[in-house]
């Protein structure tokens, strides 16, 4: 029986391309298009591995992976994204993923990464690994600037979820419905978040959500691993 894999990406064409790459060796059990559906799919299917984009609506890929690692720690995870920035990579491995692959990679690299992670090893795209090396070398030459992700440490996972939904333009009622709490609870969380980040307006909250990587810069829908020639 082929190992089961879940592919989480909010661009349908990208997800379909990834499925075509995987289908000869693996069984793709689900292709959720947002972070919350991804968690539900993993908890229902319990796949061997999940391929996850960072830029997922409703709940970003990294925070969704945090949930998965708590409820289904045996599920292995590979991040498949356009984002090569070291702070995304570092955060992903802190969450507990086993691989980090760029969408600009060839299909053979994606398949190799999946095999490596399924076998208990770690895989990082060479371009991403070089970025980490460059960052480390730069850090030894001069003091580093505070990272843009530092404020995220002050926010709980629930607060990060609320902040992302606020930044996506959801109303208090919509956010409450999405995470199954009361509107008063959402108002409480928004107040705490504003205090922690030192902001007042929704526009400022949205700016912080982008800075923290909860909402990543838009990705190109056509960007997916290329079939090897």
């Amino acid at each position: 029986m082929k190992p089961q894999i879940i592919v989480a990406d909010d661009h349908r064409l990208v997800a379909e391309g990834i499925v075509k790459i995987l289908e000869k060796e693996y069984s793709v059990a689900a292709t959720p298009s947002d972070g919350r559906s991804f968690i539900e799919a993993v908890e229902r299917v319990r796949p061997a591995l999940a391929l996850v984009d960072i830029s997922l609506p409703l709940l970003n890929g990294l925070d969704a992976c945090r949930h998965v690692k708590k409820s289904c720690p045996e599920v292995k995870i590979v991040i498949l994204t356009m984002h090569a920035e070291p702070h995304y990579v570092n955060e992903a491995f802190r969450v507990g993923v086993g691989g980090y692959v760029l969408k600009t990679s060839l299909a053979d690299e994606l398949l190799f990464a999946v095999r490596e992670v399924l076998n208990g090893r770690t895989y990082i795209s060479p371009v991403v690994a070089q970025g980490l090396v460059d960052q480390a070398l730069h850090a030894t030459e001069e003091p580093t600037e505070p990272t843009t992700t530092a404020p995220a440490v002050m926010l709980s996972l629930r607060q990060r979820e609320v902040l992302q939904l606020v930044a996506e333009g959801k109303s208090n009622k919509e956010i409450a419905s999405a995470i199954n709490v009361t509107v008063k609870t959402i108002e409480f969380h928004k107040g705490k978040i504003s205090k922690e980040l030192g902001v007042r307006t929704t526009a400022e909250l949205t700016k912080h959500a982008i800075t923290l990587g909860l909402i990543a810069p838009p990705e190109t829908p056509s960007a997916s691993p290329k079939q090897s020639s």
Side-chain angles (χ1 to χ4, degrees):
M1 182 181 293
K2 295 179 180 179
Q4 287 191 311
I5 289 181
I6 284 177
V7 176
D9 196 294
D10 62 327
H11 296 305
R12 184 53 50 193
L13 289 176
V14 173
E16 289 174 357
I18 296 168
V19 170
K20 286 184 178 180
I21 292 170
L22 297 172
E23 60 188 3
K24 288 185 179 180
E25 297 183 33
Y26 306 99
S27 173
V28 178
T31 55
S33 58
D34 66 75
R36 297 189 181 282
S37 296
F38 164 64
I39 295 170
E40 293 172 1
V42 170
E43 292 178 344
R44 181 181 72 254
V45 175
R46 299 274 173 163
L49 182 141
L51 274 171
V52 190
D53 186 16
I54 288 177
S55 306
L56 294 177
L58 301 184
L59 184 65
N60 67 85
L62 294 180
D63 283 340
C65 288
R66 283 188 176 87
H67 281 278
V68 165
K69 277 300 177 183
K70 288 181 180 179
S71 62
C72 307
E74 76 283 2
V75 175
K76 294 179 170 61
I77 299 174
V78 173
I79 295 293
L80 182 61
T81 181
M82 289 294 292
H83 303 296
E85 298 91 332
H87 66 271
Y88 283 115
V89 185
N90 291 331
E91 187 64 21
F93 282 100
R94 276 195 288 267
V95 167
V97 309
Y100 199 102
V101 181
L102 294 183
K103 286 185 175 180
T104 52
S105 304
L106 293 175
D108 285 348
E109 182 184 345
L110 175 59
L111 289 170
F112 180 77
V114 169
R115 293 187 200 108
E116 287 290 283
V117 174
L118 282 174
N119 286 320
R121 293 184 284 272
T122 299
Y123 183 84
I124 306 177
S125 284
V127 173
V128 175
Q130 185 60 53
L132 295 176
V133 171
D134 291 344
Q135 182 190 52
L137 291 174
H138 181 71
T140 63
E141 295 171 358
E142 56 186 71
T144 57
E145 295 293 327
T147 63
T148 57
T149 55
V153 177
M154 299 185 293
L155 301 181
S156 68
L157 181 55
R158 176 64 87 193
Q159 288 172 333
R160 287 166 61 88
E161 292 176 16
V162 171
L163 179 56
Q164 176 175 344
L165 291 168
V166 169
E168 289 178 356
K170 301 291 190 296
S171 67
N172 287 354
K173 185 176 180 180
E174 289 172 325
I175 298 172
S177 176
I179 62 178
N180 297 314
V181 297
T182 66
V183 171
K184 276 195 171 183
T185 299
I186 298 304
E187 292 171 348
F188 170 78
H189 280 308
K190 286 176 69 174
K192 291 282 288 184
I193 294 167
S194 295
K195 184 177 180 180
E196 291 283 2
L197 298 179
V199 299
R200 292 184 178 182
T201 68
T202 298
E204 289 174 313
L205 287 172
T206 300
K207 183 178 179 181
H208 272 278
I210 294 171
T211 300
L212 298 177
L214 302 182
I215 293 184
E219 297 184 358
T220 305
S222 60
S224 60
K226 305 178 186 68
Q227 294 283 355
S228 302
S229 57

